[in-house]
Amino acid sequence: MTVTPPRLTKGPRHDGFTPLLRSEWTKFRTVRGWVIGLLVAAVLCVAFTFLTTNDTHEGTCTGPPPTGAGPNSPGTGCTTGHPFVPTGPGGEAVADSYQFVAQPLTGDATITARVTSLTGLTSTRPANVAPSLANTRPGLAAWAKAGILVTPSTRQGSTYAAVMATGTEGVRWQYDYNDDRAGLPGSVSAASPRWLRLTRTGDTLTGYDSTDGAKWTEIGTTQLTGLPATVSVGLFVTSPVTFQDSNSGTPTQATATFDQVSIDGGVAGRAWRGQAIGYGSQSFYPTLGTGSYQRSGATFTLSGSGDIASGVGAGLLGTDTAGSILLFGLIVGLLVMVVVAALFITAEYRRGLIRTTFTATPNRGRVLAAKAVVIAAVAFLTGGVSVLIAVPLGEHLLNHNGSYVFPASPVTVVRIMVGSAALVAITAVAVLALGSILRKSAGAVAAGIAVFVLPYIIGSTLTGSAEQWLFRLTPAAGFAVLGALPRAAQVSYPYTLANGYYPLSPWAGLAVLGAYAAVALGVATFLVRRRDA
């Protein structure tokens, strides 16, 4: 007789990670002081944002923003003195000032022109002093631009595509202010002219260059979705502000000569029309002169100043951004979160309850991981709710008080909000690890503030290489998530903290902070496994 043993079934595991998470969450939510701490952190973040933005009174606005202005642009009746910053297709700040000679064009076509000369003038006055052509010296800016441009509208911030010769950066294909591709190298001269060609096929635009007008090389192509049947096409010239240091820039002007201009295909207008774009008194971008256009037979001579690129130069305006609005309130809220994160683990050491925890779950590394997940989740949620309220509130108050808020795309604003919440969460995990290492509440709080908050306060008072390295190598790098000003490789500009730029990109800065948290958590895990409870 064969006896079949009964099948053994596994019951639910009580040492898994999910039950442990549930246990740590129960610990957290049942301690009233910790929950109140989260509320205090959120309230202080919003309250200090309110106080710092509501305290600013620069004027009042009685009229609507100018035509084509972004949602944060000052009204026509504003007395703030802040100029109009146009916004591009994605809502980002842009510079859009140039001399344009154009005509309407309907349908697909090819536009060709030869640039035979490109010269320039540089103002001898800084950008914050009214420039004058009487105070100039010869000098061509590296990113002076002269070429062919297609756009559906001459309103500042409109989508566009252009092929151009530059001062020293060779021929370029650029579109929508941020995208840039290199063509032929070298500068333009009578002995070395540059042939440019731009073709339109529906929504697709392609740029070409040539040294002789016979052999053409494609530089780049793009699709401008929704391009209307009739667009403006023509020749343009512009020349940006040049910077000798982080505090002074000088406007420049470029003059270009075009010939061999032709339009093949499409239905073109009958006459060329000159137009100065972005030269108004409200424009934020400093220009030299008012632009000019002359035609002699088949030869066009244009002089222009400004730029068509990301609006990086507006950092010198000293305006508020979504990041600067949030900064002070975020730091205050972060200080409270440091205390909560430290107490979440040091309170168990102080009361001896950690022994009970380790007895119930011998895998001490898993206990620490569960605590890290819980504190990260509650910190991220608290930070996220806080900034979701604080940023719109701060912008509303500043605009109501007549203060200018620098425009930013919705993607940038969302990135600042999510990044700020992540900054709070990562810092909380790091301080939790410090609490496990030090096992003393006062020591963990002090260390958390010294390591994760103080470097930013110190770094913001420094200049030069010391400031750059501190915001690259210390946890202060995480504050790069607050950066709201655009940055562009094709724009020469002093990207310093004083001008609103962190030395690392937002996510790279957050990665540096994450590395510190990971090291702290690794050390804490090693020690908690080797120590007696």
Side-chain angles (χ1 to χ4, degrees), residues 249-306:
T250 54
T252 66
Q253 183 187 80
T255 299
T257 302
F258 300 84
D259 63 11
Q260 303 293 322
V261 180
S262 65
I263 300 178
D264 299 318
V267 179
R270 296 183 178 180
W272 294 93
R273 176 174 175 266
Q275 185 176 3
I277 311 297
Y279 282 77
S281 59
Q282 284 187 311
S283 178
F284 87 92
Y285 202 94
T287 56
L288 181 59
T290 57
S292 64
Y293 151 58
Q294 294 180 346
R295 181 179 180 182
S296 177
T299 301
F300 297 78
T301 302
L302 282 70
S303 294
S305 181

Side-chain angles (χ1 to χ4, degrees), residues 304-479:
S305 181
D307 204 358
I308 309 176
S310 294
V312 299
L316 291 179
L317 292 176
T319 57
D320 291 291
T321 67
S324 66
I325 287 170
L326 187 60
L327 177 60
F328 190 41
L330 182 65
I331 289 177
V332 174
L334 193 61
L335 291 173
V336 178
M337 189 59 67
V338 166
V339 176
V340 174
L343 291 176
F344 184 40
I345 190 166
T346 57
E348 287 198 57
Y349 279 106
R350 185 177 70 251
R351 298 173 182 173
L353 297 177
I354 197 70
R355 295 186 179 88
T356 305
T357 299
F358 288 155
T359 300
T361 307
N363 190 329
R364 298 182 176 188
R366 184 175 293 180
V367 172
L368 192 59
K371 287 183 177 292
V373 171
V374 169
I375 197 64
V378 297
F380 185 87
L381 182 62
T382 303
V385 171
S386 301
V387 300
L388 190 63
I389 299 171
V391 172
L393 174 64
E395 288 192 359
H396 172 75
L397 291 172
L398 287 169
N399 287 324
H400 178 74
N401 292 335
S403 299
Y404 187 71
V405 180
F406 192 81
S409 69
V411 172
T412 298
V413 175
V414 170
R415 186 260 299 160
I416 289 172
M417 291 180 174
V418 174
S420 298
L423 169 69
V424 175
I426 294 172
T427 302
V429 170
V431 173
L432 176 86
L434 290 177
S436 178
I437 293 169
L438 299 174
R439 299 192 288 187
K440 299 290 184 181
S441 299
V445 171
I449 294 174
V451 175
F452 295 100
V453 180
L454 194 59
Y456 177 86
I457 298 174
I458 295 174
S460 60
T461 65
L462 301 176
T463 57
S465 59
E467 164 205 284
Q468 293 288 306
W469 284 112
L470 191 144
F471 279 95
R472 287 178 182 272
L473 300 179
T474 73
F479 284 89

Side-chain angles (χ1 to χ4, degrees), residues 199-206 221-224 227:
T199 65
R200 177 196 180 179
T201 306
D203 289 350
T204 302
L205 299 163
T206 307
T221 185
T222 186
Q223 187 173 27
L224 301 183
L227 201 63

Side-chain angles (χ1 to χ4, degrees), residues 188-210:
V188 173
S189 66
S192 181
R194 290 291 181 268
W195 290 77
L196 307 175
R197 174 170 287 174
L198 192 155
T199 65
R200 177 196 180 179
T201 306
D203 289 350
T204 302
L205 299 163
T206 307
Y208 303 85
D209 60 11
S210 172

Side-chain angles (χ1 to χ4, degrees), residues 60-66 73-78:
T60 57
C61 299
T62 59
S73 298
T76 53
C78 286

